[in-house]
């Protein structure tokens, strides 16, 4: 006989869990038995990663469409297999549901377990340099183009087009600015994940 140890995160129809069946008297085997399991309900499992074989865990800020508080966890195995999940799930064709508190709690627990099971694993925050710096360059160019759009609207009298350009360009620049702020590459302590790498909780206790 034995007992099951697991931590579960449900994101709509997607289920992510860290699970292990630990034989009585063999607690030392826990590190090699723990798995990160990603699947869907009611379908079968989509991916399994043994925690002792994890190469790195990456946390990043990944806004999508109009959902600006989307955060992502990516796990890579040393053999190359990867799984990822975020804090949102679809409630309908256009409606998204956030899971800020359970996602943050699960991510902290997952980081702690990976650190224990795979001491050589890296814990990466933000985006890699090859993705971050081109995005920074594009954002800078976009920001510099906004005064030009306003100038063109002034000299041509096309206020409607100028307003739309400023609205879309301003929103995009703001969103990309937040992306750059949260996604600057840096290693993090799995026991103390930086707040900018996790979704903000609406009802924080003072």
């Amino acid at each position: 006989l034995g007992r099951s140890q697991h931590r579960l995160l449900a994101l709509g129809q997607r289920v992510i869990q860290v699970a292990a069946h630990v034989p009585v008297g063999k607690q030392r085997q826990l590190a090699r038995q723990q798995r990160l399991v990603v699947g869907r309900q009611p379908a079968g499992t989509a991916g399994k990663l043994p925690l002792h074989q994890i190469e790195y865990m990456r946390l990043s800020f990944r806004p999508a469409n109009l959902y600006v508080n989307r955060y992502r966890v990516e796990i890579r195995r040393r053999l190359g297999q990867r799984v990822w999940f975020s804090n949102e799930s679809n409630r309908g064709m256009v409606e998204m549901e956030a899971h800020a508190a359970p996602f943050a709690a699960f991510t902290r627990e997952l980081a702690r377990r990976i650190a224990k099971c795979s001491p050589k694993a890296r814990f990466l925050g933000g985006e890699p340099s090859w993705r971050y710096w081109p995005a920074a360059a594009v954002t800078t160019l976009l920001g510099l183009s906004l005064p030009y759009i306003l100038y063109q609207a002034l000299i041509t009298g096309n206020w409607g087009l100028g307003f739309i350009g400023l609205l879309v360009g301003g929103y995009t620049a703001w969103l990309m600015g937040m992306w750059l702020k949260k996604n600057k590459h840096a290693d993090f302590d799995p026991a103390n994940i930086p707040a900018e790498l996790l979704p903000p909780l609406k009802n924080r206790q003072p």
Side-chain angles (χ1 to χ4, degrees), residues 5 16 19-20 29 31 40 52 56 59-60 63 76 80 85 88 102 111 122 129-130 154 203:
Q5 296 188 357
I16 300 99
Q29 295 182 9
R40 287 185 178 275
H52 71 282
Y56 69 74
L59 306 183
S60 59
R76 178 182 171 90
F85 56 92
E88 49 80 23
R122 295 188 63 192
S129 297
W130 63 265
L154 286 173
N203 297 320

Side-chain angles (χ1 to χ4, degrees), residues 9-27:
L9 174 64
L11 303 174
Q13 291 186 333
R14 198 177 194 195
V15 175
I16 300 99
Q17 64 179 332
V18 178
H21 185 72
V22 186
V24 172
K26 295 185 178 181
Q27 294 294 322

Side-chain angles (χ1 to χ4, degrees), residues 7-205:
R7 183 80 183 228
L8 182 68
L9 174 64
L11 303 174
Q13 291 186 333
R14 198 177 194 195
V15 175
I16 300 99
Q17 64 179 332
V18 178
H21 185 72
V22 186
V24 172
K26 295 185 178 181
Q27 294 294 322
R28 292 182 180 179
Q29 295 182 9
L30 177 61
R32 298 188 64 84
Q33 292 173 340
Q34 292 194 81
R35 303 285 190 273
L36 176 66
V37 183
V38 180
R40 287 185 178 275
Q41 296 177 331
T45 298
K48 292 183 180 181
L49 273 69
L51 294 194
H52 71 282
Q53 296 180 4
I54 298 302
E55 179 184 3
Y56 69 74
M57 175 183 189
R58 182 184 295 277
L59 306 183
S60 59
F61 172 64
R62 287 286 189 91
N65 299 327
L66 296 178
Y67 189 71
V68 299
N69 284 317
R70 183 172 178 264
Y71 293 76
R72 174 170 142 154
V73 175
E74 178 187 345
I75 308 294
R76 178 182 171 90
R77 188 179 178 182
R78 285 193 290 269
L79 298 177
Q81 181 185 5
R82 291 188 301 175
V83 298
W84 66 270
F85 56 92
S86 65
N87 63 306
E88 49 80 23
S89 64
N90 295 320
R91 295 184 62 181
M93 293 294 292
V94 295
E95 188 177 4
M96 307 295 290
E97 182 177 4
H99 307 270
F103 175 86
F106 181 86
T107 301
R108 290 190 179 97
E109 177 68 11
L110 178 59
R112 183 187 68 80
R113 293 200 189 191
I114 290 176
K116 183 177 181 180
C117 295
S118 182
K120 294 183 179 180
R122 295 188 63 192
F123 295 87
L124 310 174
E127 298 287 357
S129 297
W130 63 265
R131 182 181 294 153
Y132 182 88
W133 291 113
V138 171
T139 303
T140 301
L141 291 175
L142 179 61
L144 293 176
S145 70
L146 296 181
Y148 176 76
I149 293 175
L150 181 59
Y151 171 75
Q152 289 296 319
L154 286 173
I155 63 175
T156 62
N158 194 343
W159 294 105
L161 182 61
F163 174 76
I164 294 174
L166 287 176
L167 182 64
V168 175
Y171 174 79
T172 304
W174 167 77
L175 188 60
M176 287 303 300
M178 188 163 55
W179 186 93
L180 292 171
K181 179 181 179 181
K182 290 177 176 288
N183 279 328
K184 193 170 183 179
H185 176 75
D187 293 358
F188 66 87
D189 180 0
N192 186 24
I193 299 177
E196 60 267 21
L197 296 176
L198 294 172
L201 305 182
K202 294 182 179 180
N203 297 320
R204 289 183 180 272
Q205 295 296 328

